[in-house]
Amino acid sequence: MTHDQPDLPNSISANVAEWTQTNLEFTDAQAVGAWEPQELAWGVFGVREAAIGSPLGDVNGLDVVELGCGTAYFSAQLAHRGARPVGVDPTPAQLATARRMMERTGVTFPLVEAPGERVPLPDASFDLAFSEFGASLWADPKLWVAEAARLLRPGGRLVFLTNSFISYLCAIDEGGTAETLQRPQAGAYVYQWPGETGIEYHIPHGDWIDLLRANGFEIERLIELFAPADAKEHSYYDYVKPEWALKWPCEEIWVARLASADE
């Protein structure tokens, strides 16, 4: 599949290159452990789902689409819980790892090679759309949120994890996170870190609220994730230290619901 369509952002091809490299360096080797049945956890410090009020809720029997699934380990965990997931990702290397894990584990579900900005699946096909550092960080929000709304049935839910906006404001260009602001909030949207291939999207809370509401969503929760007291530094995603994330939220989970037909 070609992602260089004139009406789609050039971040798609840049991020395919970024995640092809990340797959080689980290995610492929981590897949065996990540696919094993385990308690759901969120973010670089593995905050337990139950500790934050279970934002996904009971997924048994739900049709679920993961936008930016990577190696699809999170979808696999939902499959263990009775969901019917479909994983969507633009990076062939990541999906190849997911297919290898399906062969290894016997846990199978559809995988679609596509960006979150344009998903070749029918309207109103899912009860839950979610993204755990997938489309939520690496796809253009104006496009992928609209796709999530299109894919969901009335009353369906959207849950996504991304970097907290304060961590973006405090991130140091050459790596790490400062305790002081490093860049302006004004004009924030798309950002490419110096020396990096990938292109990220960071928008303030007010813009998230406007965007979600403009696409028919009612916001139910904004969960700001701090590091647990016993958190250890991540072996690969070391841009934020536990010491910083004990003081400020390093990530945030948005929970929203698409208006039902009678609303």
Side-chain angles (χ1 to χ4, degrees), residues 53-138:
S54 299
L56 285 178
D58 183 5
V59 299
N60 184 42
L62 298 186
D63 294 311
V64 179
V65 61
E66 181 177 6
L67 301 174
C69 67
T71 61
Y73 61 88
F74 214 112
S75 280
Q77 298 303 326
L78 299 193
H80 288 307
R81 289 160 173 79
R84 294 183 294 270
V86 176
V88 178
D89 199 276
T91 304
Q94 294 273 76
L95 295 178
T97 296
R99 293 187 184 98
R100 176 172 63 84
M101 292 309 306
M102 289 183 184
E103 293 174 2
R104 179 188 176 101
T105 64
V107 177
T108 62
F109 46 86
L111 297 172
V112 178
E113 184 187 328
E117 290 94 338
R118 181 167 295 160
V119 180
L121 292 170
D123 296 0
S125 298
F126 297 95
D127 307 299
L128 171 66
F130 82 99
S131 181
E132 186 242 7
F133 275 137
S136 53
L137 178 61
W138 303 93

Side-chain angles (χ1 to χ4, degrees), residues 164-166 185 203-210 222 224 252 254:
S164 68
F165 194 64
I166 192 172
Q185 176 166 326
I203 62 176
H205 291 166
D207 290 352
W208 273 124
I209 291 168
D210 287 347
L222 168 58
E224 296 179 301
E252 55 197 41
W254 291 80

Side-chain angles (χ1 to χ4, degrees), residues 1-8 12-13 16 90 92 113-115 118:
M1 172 179 289
T2 177
H3 308 302
D4 294 322
Q5 301 177 50
D7 56 341
L8 290 177
I12 296 171
S13 56
V16 167
E113 184 187 328
R118 181 167 295 160

Side-chain angles (χ1 to χ4, degrees), residues 222-233:
L222 168 58
I223 306 165
E224 296 179 301
L225 290 189
F226 293 80
D230 60 351
K232 302 292 190 297
E233 184 175 334

